[in-house]
Amino acid sequence: MSEKQTFPAAAARLTQTLASATSDGNDVKSAINWFLDLLPGAANEEAAAAMESLAGVFETGSVENAVNAIMLCGYLVEKGYEGKHFIGALERLTIKNLDIAEPLLKASVTVMETTDDEDEDPYGAVDKMRETVATEHPDQVKADDWLEKIYPCLVSTYSSDLQLFNKGKALLYDRVKPYIQVSNACSWLSTLFSVLFNEPILVVELSQKKAFTGTISGIADNFQLQLLLMSIPEFGDAIDAELTAVVDGTGPQDGEASVAGKWDMCTWPILSASHKESGNSDSDHWIWSEGSPEDIEPLDGRRVILLKEPSYQRGLYVQRSFSTLPASIQIEKWLSEEQLKQWLDKMQ
């Protein structure tokens, strides 16, 4: 290799290779390998310059090379570099492709909602419809395929920076939410944008009569919520620090372990007189693990999480949905017996 062995030289060669119409697969692979080999020694400003340079390929390179450039930027974010250097260009392209793909996405939702499961598989019906669209409107299918390829970069970038998250949510949440049934890209972005930050909570452990007020941030689902609650030592038998690190984002994304759930998590109406008089099942007010904290019913401005003795043992797999998104429960104060009674009286 004749080029000087520096990261900026590797980044320049990579951008040039991805932008060239004459580069073949071997050229691209060689340039990417050189870039990645020298990445561990790259300074922040060098990585920033590389991302800005790669962003120039997003729209000018071939589709395959543009996707390579986008995914490399996402990889840099996952290595701790800031995504602000390319996210604007990627957002513009995402909106452009959403505009093009939207008729296909709308038609797919219509097919899903109108196909009878007994007569035909809805997903199979969508696939058939897409075959027709691919012939009549190939640009729509290409735009949808592009979104499916690049959304992990968007997810990693928005997960890593709250300011970028808020901007992306304002731009995209309402656009992607209607299509979660028919698009992995829309589903994952919608799940991410439903995550709450600095959200006030009240947690009550009913058997121990312990309760605190605080806030939650970055929790993607209620599996993660219960595991984080299980890491609080005041509730006893806390999960170990290694598993906590998986759940709060300071460790690997997957702990390759499962633990027994400690509680039935419930919303506050389970204690209400109207619920007790109705004779309905307590499960009507369970906080289901597959849901998200956004679904938890609030009372007086706080989402209330009641922790009851488990009705049966559940296994919770120790992992988190978003690798670059830190999650936390911040405790403001533990409640006195009288303060807890006041809250319980409100619920009852």
Side-chain angles (χ1 to χ4, degrees), residues 33 44 56 81 93 136 156 184 188 210 229 248 254 257 262 268-270 325:
N33 287 340
N44 286 337
Y81 297 103
L93 269 178
E136 299 175 354
S156 294
N184 285 325
W188 277 106
K210 290 182 178 180
L229 289 168
D248 68 16
D254 190 334
K262 197 170 184 177
W268 68 264
I270 200 170
L325 181 64

Side-chain angles (χ1 to χ4, degrees), residues 119-247:
D119 296 330
E120 186 177 10
D121 171 41
Y123 291 98
V126 169
D127 288 341
K128 286 182 182 177
M129 182 272 293
R130 283 177 62 94
E131 290 175 6
T132 301
V133 174
T135 301
E136 299 175 354
H137 303 285
D139 57 325
Q140 294 180 18
V141 174
K142 288 177 182 176
D144 185 53
D145 288 344
W146 183 90
L147 291 166
E148 293 298 304
K149 289 173 182 174
I150 65 86
Y151 79 83
C153 178
L154 287 172
V155 167
S156 294
T157 305
Y158 291 141
S159 299
S160 68
D161 186 308
L162 184 55
Q163 186 175 354
L164 297 183
F165 172 93
N166 288 331
K167 181 171 177 274
K169 182 174 182 176
L171 281 172
L172 298 173
Y173 193 18
D174 290 341
R175 295 289 306 270
V176 300
K177 201 172 183 179
Y179 308 122
I180 58 174
Q181 278 186 296
V182 296
S183 163
N184 285 325
C186 293
S187 178
W188 277 106
L189 286 168
S190 183
T191 298
L192 175 62
F193 290 140
S194 73
V195 172
L196 304 172
F197 292 88
N198 300 314
E199 182 74 8
I201 59 166
L202 166 69
V203 177
V204 182
E205 214 287 3
L206 291 167
S207 65
Q208 300 180 57
K209 293 185 169 56
K210 290 182 178 180
F212 69 83
T213 55
T215 59
I216 55 173
S217 293
I219 299 174
D221 54 53
N222 295 328
F223 285 107
Q224 189 178 20
L225 173 61
Q226 176 152 181
L227 287 164
L228 280 170
L229 289 168
M230 288 170 63
S231 72
I232 296 174
E234 286 84 354
F235 287 147
D237 298 324
I239 60 175
D240 64 39
E242 186 176 336
L243 297 181
T244 300
V246 172
V247 183

